[in-house]
Amino acid sequence: MRRQFNSAILADSGSATQPGLAVPLLAALSIPPIPGNGLADLLTNRVFLVGFWSWFSAQFLKIFTKRFKKGVWDLGAMLESGGMPSSHSSLCAGITTAIAIQQGLGSPLFAACLCFSVIVMYDAMGVRRHAGKQAEVLNKVIDELLDDDHPMGEVKLKEVLGHTPRQVVCGGLLGLAVGLFFPAC
């Protein structure tokens, strides 16, 4: 029925000045239907659920690790990047574990997940961590060189961007545990 309606519109839409202009326009506006049952499929997708709960668990645990380290309860820690455990590592390890269980260690999808997980974890310990260290140095330079009334004197760069190797390993182990023990859907 939908295709017949689109065909009828396309047949009548040509004009003497711009014949067939509606064809590419309607083709661009035509959104194909998503196969399956939509949101119900996502909420029963074990790989998605393992990834979500791995990430959420890591973010939630940051409240307690911040309490242990700083001595204050801070619910905002759940929304911060960096810290213990690494939620990036947890998410990647959880998804990779779920794919390994569902598809097998020999599947191309597992190989792709494993490669991306290693890249994300390496990046968290390397590039992002060093960017945080650079922010720390820049904040000290700004404090020493600029007066408080200078517009840049109040700017503080975020210093906790990346993770220590221990934070990455703990996040990875958390994701592995969630992936192994999450119930089948």
Side-chain angles (χ1 to χ4, degrees):
M1 180 76 175
R2 182 176 178 182
R3 294 196 189 277
Q4 292 172 349
F5 178 72
N6 286 346
S7 299
I9 291 174
L10 294 176
D12 294 339
S13 65
S15 68
T17 57
Q18 294 179 343
L21 177 65
V23 173
L25 180 63
L26 285 176
L29 295 176
S30 177
I31 299 171
I34 297 173
N37 297 324
L39 192 58
D41 283 348
L42 186 62
L43 296 177
T44 58
N45 182 325
R46 186 174 188 280
V47 174
F48 170 77
L49 291 173
V50 165
F52 173 80
W53 287 111
S54 296
W55 168 83
F56 183 84
S57 300
Q59 288 298 110
F60 184 73
L61 285 173
K62 289 180 182 184
I63 296 170
F64 299 98
T65 57
K66 190 167 187 175
R67 166 74 169 125
F68 179 73
K69 187 175 181 182
K70 305 270 184 175
V72 295
W73 290 105
D74 182 13
L75 294 178
M78 191 168 170
L79 303 175
E80 294 176 356
S81 63
M84 172 71 97
S86 167
S87 57
H88 290 85
S89 299
S90 184
L91 171 84
C92 290
I95 287 176
T96 302
T97 303
I99 291 293
I101 290 169
Q102 194 171 20
Q103 303 284 323
L105 296 178
S107 77
L109 186 56
F110 170 74
C113 285
L114 184 61
C115 291
F116 280 110
S117 293
V118 169
I119 290 168
V120 167
M121 291 178 188
Y122 178 79
D123 181 63
M125 287 187 299
V127 176
R128 289 180 54 228
R129 184 166 179 229
H130 289 285
K133 287 181 178 267
Q134 288 175 352
E136 188 177 339
V137 170
L138 286 172
N139 283 337
K140 286 180 184 176
V141 169
I142 289 172
D143 284 344
E144 291 177 11
L145 294 180
L146 299 178
D147 297 331
D148 290 336
D149 58 338
H150 191 278
M152 291 300 293
E154 297 176 8
V155 174
K156 293 288 181 201
L157 299 173
K158 186 170 175 121
E159 296 176 3
V160 181
L161 294 174
H163 296 282
T164 63
R166 180 181 296 158
Q167 292 168 340
V168 170
V169 168
C170 287
L173 291 174
L174 176 62
L176 179 68
V178 172
L180 288 173
F181 299 112
F182 193 84
C185 295

